[in-house]
Amino acid sequence: MSVAIENFVKAIYNNDKHDIKNTRPGNIAKQLGISNPAATDMAKKLAAKDLLHYEKYQALQLTEKGTKMALNVVRKHRLWEALLFKMFDLSLHDIHREAELLEHQTSDLLAEKISEYLGHPKFDPHGDPIPNAKGEITTIDTSITLAEAQEGKTYTIARLMSEDKEFFEFCAQNEIKYRNTLSVSKQFSGNKMTQISIGPNIIVLNENFTKIIYVDEN
């Protein structure tokens, strides 16, 4: 399958699984940097290949075949992120950018070799689950957004859901990393801000951050 097809089904899968929940052709087009007509045309072609269900003006839904393809691409992407992070200590932004290129050039054999080398990790450095070789995600997500966390409780960072370079730079400078522990000091609900303590730092975050930082209660 072409890179364009793999990116299209992956975008649908990610949107459906994340909080975006918008898999209409127009939203997929915006994400991929293509025109709305091009996205609609692609959706019709992939429907003919039994990769997705297409109905005019409706959200796109992957078929079982399309989901399997998307998970295969996601697996390779997240394995590359884990490998690049381990070997070169690249930033979370950089590993994502490089994995976007490498995922399409990776055979199933190489993906399995990478997984073996890493000890078959279940999560990538962002905290995203890595599908196994069968295209299954075997972990259960119990995390909540930092915006939903309760005052006075301690949490472990479970996921950083962003592709923004400045977000990851801020996180790195303030010890906001996958599996690090933080305490919620105060929820300023009226102003949609959260004060946390993490390491030696006391930080106040607005909802642009607290809605894309996911945590598990300790």
Side-chain angles (χ1 to χ4, degrees):
M1 291 293 178
S2 72
V3 171
I5 291 175
E6 289 184 343
N7 280 336
F8 202 87
V9 296
K10 186 180 73 167
I12 296 171
Y13 174 82
N14 284 336
N15 279 18
D16 186 52
K17 294 301 177 183
H18 296 169
D19 285 345
I20 303 170
K21 296 294 185 186
N22 187 343
T23 61
R24 292 177 184 273
N27 192 55
I28 301 301
K30 183 178 179 181
Q31 279 189 274
L32 297 178
I34 60 177
S35 68
N36 286 4
T40 298
D41 184 54
M42 175 67 85
K44 291 177 179 178
K45 289 179 179 178
L46 299 192
K49 294 178 181 291
D50 192 33
L51 292 172
L52 57 80
H53 299 291
Y54 170 78
E55 290 185 36
K56 194 173 183 179
Y57 304 125
Q58 299 300 313
L60 301 174
Q61 293 182 319
L62 294 176
T63 61
E64 182 177 347
K65 181 179 176 182
T67 300
K68 184 177 180 179
M69 175 187 287
L71 282 166
N72 185 259
V73 181
V74 167
R75 169 177 166 78
K76 292 170 182 177
H77 179 98
R78 294 176 181 172
L79 282 171
W80 272 116
E81 287 189 330
L83 182 66
L84 293 170
F85 190 75
K86 177 183 176 67
M87 293 188 68
F88 303 112
D89 195 29
L90 296 175
S91 72
L92 294 183
H93 173 73
D94 286 338
I95 63 172
H96 175 77
R97 183 181 60 188
E98 296 301 323
E100 284 286 306
L101 302 173
L102 293 165
E103 66 190 31
H104 303 293
Q105 312 301 326
T106 306
S107 67
D108 293 344
L109 174 63
L110 179 56
E112 185 58 21
K113 290 298 181 182
I114 294 172
S115 184
E116 287 178 7
Y117 174 77
L118 295 170
H120 299 294
K122 293 187 180 294
F123 298 93
D124 72 10
H126 298 90
D128 292 318
I130 300 175
N132 63 22
K134 296 180 180 178
E136 303 166 335
I137 292 177
T138 59
T139 56
I140 298 174
D141 184 12
T142 58
S143 64
I144 59 173
T145 66
L146 189 54
E148 301 170 292
Q150 297 181 34
E151 292 180 6
K153 290 192 174 183
T154 302
Y155 296 87
T156 299
I157 298 172
R159 210 167 186 180
L160 301 172
M161 290 182 59
S162 176
E163 298 178 8
D164 182 69
K165 183 178 181 180
E166 287 190 350
F167 169 76
F168 287 124
E169 287 176 348
F170 178 87
C171 288
Q173 291 169 5
N174 291 280
E175 298 299 315
I176 302 173
K177 300 177 182 178
Y178 172 55
R179 290 184 177 171
N180 275 8
T181 300
L182 61 83
S183 298
V184 176
S185 309
K186 179 72 175 177
Q187 288 284 15
F188 299 95
S189 55
N191 292 305
K192 299 180 179 179
M193 301 178 78
T194 303
Q195 180 176 298
I196 64 170
S197 298
I198 183 165
N201 303 318
I202 298 175
I203 311 165
V204 178
L205 303 171
N206 65 28
E207 67 173 341
N208 291 333
F209 277 36
T210 60
K211 286 190 173 182
I212 58 176
I213 298 173
Y214 284 72
V215 295
D216 280 314
E217 186 177 344
N218 289 351

